[in-house]
Amino acid sequence: MTSTGADEAMVPGRIGGWLARDRIRAVALAMIALSVLWRAHVASRGFLAADDYVLITQAAESDLTVGHLFSLYNNHLMPGGRLLIWLTTEYVGMAYWPYVLLMAIGQTVLGIASLHLLRRLLQPSWLLLLPLGVLLFSPLTLEATTWWAVGVNMLPMQISMVLAVSAQVGYVQTRRKRHLVTLALAVLLGLFFFEKSILVVPLVFLLTAAFYAEGGPVRTIWTTIRRWWPSWLLLTVLSLGFLVAYLRGSESSLRRPESVGEVFSFLTQMLGSTVIPGLVGGPWQWLGAGDGAPVAAPPQLGTWVAWTIVVALVVATVRHRRRAGRAWLLLGAYLVLVAAMLAATRLGSAFSGVAGGVPRYVSDVVVVAAICLGVAVVGLARTPRTAGQIDPSAADGPPSTPVDRREPVDEEAQDLAAAPIPVQPPVPAAPPAPVRYAQPARLVSRPGVIHAEAPIDPEPDPVPAAAPAVTPAPGPDAVAGPDPTAHPDPEPATAPDAVPPSPAPDRSPPNDPGSPAQRAPQPGTSGPTEPPAPGLLGSLPERYREAVNVALALVLVAVCLGTAWTTSRYSDEWAAKSGRSYIDTVRIEMASAPPDTVFFDDPVPDNVVPRLSSPYNMQSRFFRAFGTRPTFVDEADHVSVLDTLGRIHVATIIGSTIQPGPQEGCGYLVATGQTVRMPLNEPRDEWHWVVRIGYLSSADGTATLRFGSGTAEFPVKRGLNQRFFRIVGGGDAVELTVTGGDVSLCTNEIAIGNPAPKPK
């Protein structure tokens, strides 16, 4: 075997070892894989829906030009989505599997980017799997991973949010300019697919202010602007450039709510029925919405349970972690931005009653909620200091000793480290022995003390046998030595050849502050100057911890089961697709239809493409991306029609008909050059209609039918025949004139209306 082959054979082992060394990463990657496969399965049960067909039709009708890519769709600017749709339509046609694959790829990228962000932002802990799980499995993002028209906008926006926040956190931690480049590219990525990605800009600013600046609101904002001004200058330029370009070509979609009650109903629906239940595994029940995604419809009990869980989580984390309050304020601020945007564009319309119950409108909130949950539960990783950089947590205080970037520290530990250190009574002590350090020492905060450590433990000089080891009393500026409970020295405190002396018996009273027991806590115990590190349960008494842990585990299991139930119910709703059945039936029918089968252009069923999407709901446009599509005409002797299921039938006209004519066995007799008026049984409004005339002619020729302001000329054939043709007009009667040839024509069958299947 060659060396190259040996290296290749070792790759799986290296990957396995890499994952084994970092079990948190291994579990997180497994969660990402599970979420992608699960969501891909849910998506594959459904099909294209509503807006998907319109976007595919527009791609099929256009060339790949800048004008097509940057044209607005329902006032949405989405050149990236149009590019993907055009390429898929051009090379695959009207198919669903490419879009399922693209959404799965997008979710994979989002999961990996989110894992990278959480590991950079939070302390190393198994608990960071909680925010990752919320981001991967929240039912609020189901539409973004199953419905292409939603996913092509929301998945890139969510990826943009994660990448932008990660880049800003990296810039705060290192001040490296490459993170600014990544920040700009992340924002541009989101804007390339969805104009709502402009919200990434205020999100980055608010997150930086909430997590990395200190003081009151005014001081926090000023510190954030002053300290990280290159980020805000860059984002301001990008935002202004995009807004100028977008507003120049868009139409205003701003609406005014009809009443205060409408606004209140929208907010309660958005928070109570969608956001809060969705963050804890809800809404558990869905309301069907045709071929589109269902609407959230949680039970009342579920809503109250969801609120209880969320409020309890907020209260517990705020009491336990200083930064948690700012994290939840950040989530609230982003919810205000989203609610304001939705209220300004959705209220005051026919759909305002359900606007708050549509999960896709708030699916980006899940990213912010996951970040805030991580900071509140896990804790923010300590901001490392680099050369010439001031730690934001101590920007206005005295300079601090640089801290090793590789060791994030709990912010509660920082608070405890900053607290006054209890001063012990002076005790006679031997002169301190010189210490040799392999590398410069670093400060590591521990609860109650600050430990000076080196990357390599120091090797102390031998201590004289006659000098008993005592702990010197720290002064106001003193720094304690290494923590024996956290980092025990790998070597003994004496030289290898030295024999440790027998300690002198302690004759001091047990409660004497100067006794050795009071002066130097033993390893594994906590003395008065070293309180235990706060865990997830904070200072909860030990006797309650087991019960609380069990309760938390039960709540977590309930949330997971609720998420599985909600996703399963969504999957059943998403699987019912009228459009898929309609298209499959049309393909089968067209394959067996005669070559001369033609159709009048009619709308597809409303449950496939709604009338609001006109004219893209017309069959001639709907089937534009088909490989073999129906032939549509405006005039023919024999016409077929597609029913609501996609089956082909012989066509007739349903509408107004002429009243019976006076000639027995003929009806109305029309000779060459004559015009005969024929009243209708009911009038027709001015519109686009289809006319069917059945006649008996003595010879070939031409005739003209007038209907109000509209006229249509059609050929006449000898014998018993019929003709279908279009006309634009209205009125209560028609006039028929034979205009060409020596023809006598009898008719008693003229109908004006719309094509429909002929009754058997």
Side-chain angles (χ1 to χ4, degrees):
M1 178 181 294
T2 64
S3 60
T4 302
D7 292 341
E8 291 177 355
M10 292 174 62
V11 169
R14 291 177 181 176
I15 295 177
W18 172 66
L19 292 177
R21 287 192 301 270
D22 193 339
R23 289 177 294 176
I24 296 178
R25 179 188 283 116
V27 175
L29 293 177
M31 291 173 59
I32 294 172
L34 175 62
S35 69
V36 172
L37 293 175
W38 192 9
R39 292 292 178 90
H41 170 70
V42 174
S44 63
R45 295 188 65 193
F47 197 68
L48 302 169
D51 295 322
D52 295 335
Y53 298 118
V54 179
L55 292 169
I56 292 173
T57 297
Q58 292 178 350
E61 294 176 347
S62 305
D63 295 327
L64 186 58
T65 62
V66 174
H68 169 67
L69 294 180
F70 285 87
S71 60
L72 299 181
Y73 174 70
N74 288 345
N75 228 24
H76 295 314
L77 181 63
M78 43 182 295
R82 285 193 179 276
L83 176 61
L84 294 177
I85 294 170
W86 192 94
L87 293 173
T88 302
T89 304
E90 179 70 15
Y91 295 104
V92 180
M94 186 180 286
Y96 184 50
W97 67 264
Y99 302 112
V100 175
L101 178 61
L102 288 172
M103 288 186 289
I105 293 173
Q107 190 182 9
T108 303
V109 174
L110 175 62
I112 295 175
S114 301
L115 175 60
H116 175 73
L117 167 62
L118 294 175
R119 290 173 68 91
R120 167 178 281 177
L121 180 70
L122 306 178
Q123 300 180 49
S125 171
W126 283 98
L127 291 176
L128 66 79
L129 298 179
L130 290 178
L132 181 64
V134 169
L135 186 56
L136 294 176
F137 297 102
S138 173
L140 294 177
T141 61
L142 279 168
E143 290 179 82
T145 56
T146 55
W147 187 358
W148 171 247
V150 179
V152 73
N153 295 145
M154 292 309 308
L155 277 174
M157 179 181 175
Q158 291 173 335
I159 294 172
S160 171
M161 297 170 72
V162 172
L163 293 179
V165 170
S166 182
Q168 177 63 16
V169 172
Y171 178 67
V172 169
Q173 292 177 344
T174 67
R175 294 297 179 91
R176 293 176 180 172
K177 291 183 172 55
R178 64 182 177 88
H179 293 298
L180 294 178
V181 176
T182 305
L183 176 62
L185 293 177
V187 174
L188 290 176
L189 171 67
L191 294 176
F192 192 61
F193 283 87
F194 196 18
E195 74 283 351
K196 188 184 178 183
S197 299
I198 195 69
L199 291 182
V200 175
V201 175
L203 170 63
V204 170
F205 179 85
L206 292 173
L207 183 141
T208 306
F211 296 160
Y212 296 105
E214 298 293 343
V218 175
R219 181 182 177 185
T220 295
I221 294 175
W222 170 244
T223 301
T224 304
I225 295 174
R226 175 177 55 85
R227 187 170 297 156
W228 298 287
W229 64 266
S231 295
W232 319 137
L233 177 61
L234 176 66
L235 294 179
T236 300
V237 172
L238 290 178
S239 302
L240 292 178
F242 171 78
L243 290 175
V244 169
Y246 172 71
L247 296 177
R248 181 179 298 176
S250 66
E251 299 178 359
S252 176
S253 56
L254 297 179
R255 301 175 183 271
R256 176 175 297 179
E258 296 179 356
S259 64
V260 176
E262 183 184 16
V263 176
F264 180 78
S265 176
F266 161 74
L267 292 177
T268 54
Q269 187 182 45
M270 187 188 79
L271 292 176
S273 299
T274 309
V275 174
I276 299 300
L279 293 178
V280 294
W284 309 287
Q285 291 181 1
W286 298 96
L287 181 63
D291 268 19
V295 179
Q300 191 68 27
L301 177 61
T303 300
W304 285 111
V305 171
W307 275 101
T308 302
I309 294 175
V310 171
V311 171
L313 176 65
V314 171
V315 172
T317 54
V318 168
R319 289 173 58 89
H320 166 63
R321 196 175 296 281
R322 181 173 58 90
R323 193 69 63 174
R326 289 196 170 202
W328 299 125
L329 286 177
L330 170 63
L331 177 58
Y334 190 80
L335 277 171
V336 170
L337 291 176
V338 173
M341 179 175 288
L342 290 176
T345 56
R346 293 293 183 268
L347 298 186
S349 66
F351 301 101
S352 62
V354 296
V358 180
R360 64 178 176 271
Y361 291 159
V362 293
S363 58
D364 52 313
V365 174
V366 177
V367 176
V368 185
I371 293 173
C372 296
L373 175 65
V375 173
V377 173
V378 183
L380 195 66
R382 187 181 183 113
T383 304
R385 304 188 186 107
T386 58
Q389 178 183 348
I390 299 176
D391 187 4
S393 63
D396 300 320
S400 303
T401 305
V403 179
D404 187 358
R405 294 177 51 202
R406 296 168 296 179
E407 179 139 32
V409 181
D410 191 352
E411 58 189 5
E412 272 63 29
Q414 300 177 38
D415 296 339
L416 292 170
I421 302 176
V423 179
Q424 300 178 4
V427 181
V435 180
R436 294 190 299 274
Y437 291 96
Q439 295 182 14
R442 70 175 185 269
L443 288 181
V444 178
S445 173
R446 300 293 178 196
V449 294
I450 302 178
H451 299 286
E453 296 181 1
I456 300 177
D457 289 333
E459 181 180 352
D461 289 336
V463 180
V470 293
T471 302
D477 301 326
V479 178
D483 183 3
T485 63
H487 296 276
D489 291 335
E491 301 180 7
T494 60
D497 299 329
V499 178
S502 300
D506 181 24
R507 293 183 172 84
S508 58
N511 298 327
D512 184 3
S515 65
Q518 297 296 324
R519 293 195 306 267
Q522 299 301 318
T525 64
S526 296
T529 62
E530 190 178 334
L536 179 62
L537 301 180
S539 57
L540 188 70
E542 189 68 31
R543 61 181 179 274
Y544 298 130
R545 286 179 177 265
E546 183 176 357
V548 173
N549 282 329
V550 171
L552 291 177
L554 291 177
V555 170
L556 182 60
V557 170
V559 170
C560 293
L561 293 177
T563 300
W565 173 265
T566 300
T567 304
S568 177
R569 300 285 70 77
Y570 176 93
S571 180
D572 293 339
E573 292 286 347
W574 181 247
K577 285 289 175 285
S578 302
R580 174 176 51 198
S581 302
Y582 182 77
I583 291 175
D584 291 344
T585 302
V586 170
R587 282 174 169 160
I588 295 173
E589 292 279 307
M590 287 300 302
S592 59
D596 59 347
T597 302
V598 295
F599 303 85
F600 277 106
D601 192 11
D602 265 354
V604 298
D606 283 347
N607 57 355
V608 177
V609 180
R611 296 181 183 181
L612 290 175
S613 299
S614 178
Y616 295 100
N617 65 330
M618 302 301 293
Q619 294 174 0
S620 60
R621 311 192 83 162
F622 178 82
F623 295 114
R624 184 66 182 264
F626 265 50
T628 302
R629 58 194 183 98
T631 301
F632 297 96
V633 297
D634 290 330
E635 185 176 357
D637 290 339
H638 301 282
V639 180
S640 298
V641 66
L642 295 169
D643 65 9
T644 57
L645 300 178
R647 298 173 298 188
I648 297 177
H649 298 270
V650 176
T652 187
I653 300 299
I654 302 298
S656 300
T657 59
I658 59 173
Q659 297 178 4
Q663 300 290 332
E664 184 71 25
C666 178
Y668 295 93
L669 178 62
V670 185
T672 301
Q674 292 182 342
T675 299
V676 177
R677 187 176 186 274
M678 308 172 189
L680 299 175
N681 64 343
E682 58 178 345
R684 296 269 102 180
D685 295 331
E686 190 87 11
W687 191 242
H688 298 261
W689 303 109
V690 175
V691 177
R692 175 191 175 272
I693 177 172
Y695 62 89
L696 177 63
S697 175
S698 61
D700 294 342
T702 58
T704 300
L705 185 139
R706 180 182 299 276
F707 182 42
S709 59
T711 59
E713 186 177 76
F714 61 94
V716 175
K717 297 180 180 179
R718 181 181 179 182
L720 184 64
N721 293 286
Q722 67 176 359
R723 191 71 175 177
F724 293 83
F725 54 88
R726 289 191 177 276
I727 194 169
V728 180
D732 58 359
V734 298
E735 295 179 352
L736 183 63
T737 303
V738 175
T739 56
D742 187 9
V743 176
S744 294
L745 183 149
C746 289
T747 182
N748 210 27
E749 296 181 3
I750 296 180
I752 300 177
N754 295 309
K758 184 177 182 179
K760 296 182 179 180

